[in-house]
Amino acid sequence: MRLLVFVEHHEGRLQKDSLGLLSKAASLGDAEAVVLGSGVAEIAAEAGGFGARRVHVDDDVLLDRPLPQPRVDALQTLLENEGFDAVLFASSVLSADVAAALAARLDAGLNYDLTDLAEEDGELVGKRPALGDSVHVDVGWSSEPRLA
């Protein structure tokens, strides 16, 4: 399974929640990372230490401000050129905006607020709380790329 993790950064550092998600992705399959921003080439290399077998970098002044739309454009181009089974996002306001806009643009399924991911019978399965957090349910996707 080929997984792409959207790795966020702030003030010259990759965000810990994104790196944790990257490590989880690496345990499930071929994990790759994408780092988008201005002046991010140096810090992007750190993602390799968290399981990314390849790190895609879009270092562009247009990505300097934390706005979702330029990131959606960059991710769409990457997905069209590379083809991934799933794109994973850590839990943040920017990630939520980017994931939702990308799902709308690609007409793709988005499961957000997952607490875990697993591979079962070759398929990616999300785990999330339901019914007031009294149970955890398995969720899936009906199309690719899967966004989570």
Side-chain angles (χ1 to χ4, degrees):
M1 186 176 328
R2 193 163 176 223
L3 307 170
L4 178 66
V5 178
F6 175 72
V7 177
E8 286 191 71
H9 57 88
H10 183 67
E11 295 182 352
R13 291 194 152 137
L14 299 180
Q15 296 298 287
K16 290 180 182 179
D17 54 349
S18 293
L19 296 174
L21 181 59
L22 181 56
S23 293
K24 177 63 178 185
S27 74
L28 296 172
D30 280 334
E32 299 183 28
V34 60
V35 180
L36 308 172
S38 179
V40 296
E42 285 186 31
I43 63 169
E46 296 173 29
F50 291 85
R53 70 173 184 86
R54 184 174 174 196
V55 180
H56 304 269
V57 178
D58 192 342
D59 197 325
D60 190 323
V61 70
L62 295 174
L63 296 163
D64 188 40
R65 297 178 60 191
L67 299 173
Q69 200 57 52
R71 284 161 175 76
V72 172
D73 296 340
L75 284 170
Q76 179 181 12
T77 299
L78 181 60
L79 289 170
E80 288 171 351
N81 292 335
E82 296 285 333
F84 290 90
D85 298 311
V87 184
L88 308 178
F89 299 86
S91 184
S92 75
V93 173
L94 179 61
S95 284
D97 288 348
V98 172
L102 186 63
R105 178 146 338 146
L106 300 176
D107 196 25
L110 170 63
N111 281 311
Y112 206 69
D113 293 334
L114 300 178
T115 57
D116 197 10
L117 290 166
E119 183 182 351
E120 296 177 8
D121 298 322
E123 292 293 324
L124 187 65
V125 176
K127 312 286 184 172
R128 64 168 293 128
L131 300 173
D133 295 344
S134 64
V135 297
H136 281 80
V137 296
D138 291 350
V139 296
W141 295 261
S142 59
S143 64
E144 290 184 4
R146 301 166 185 95
L147 305 181

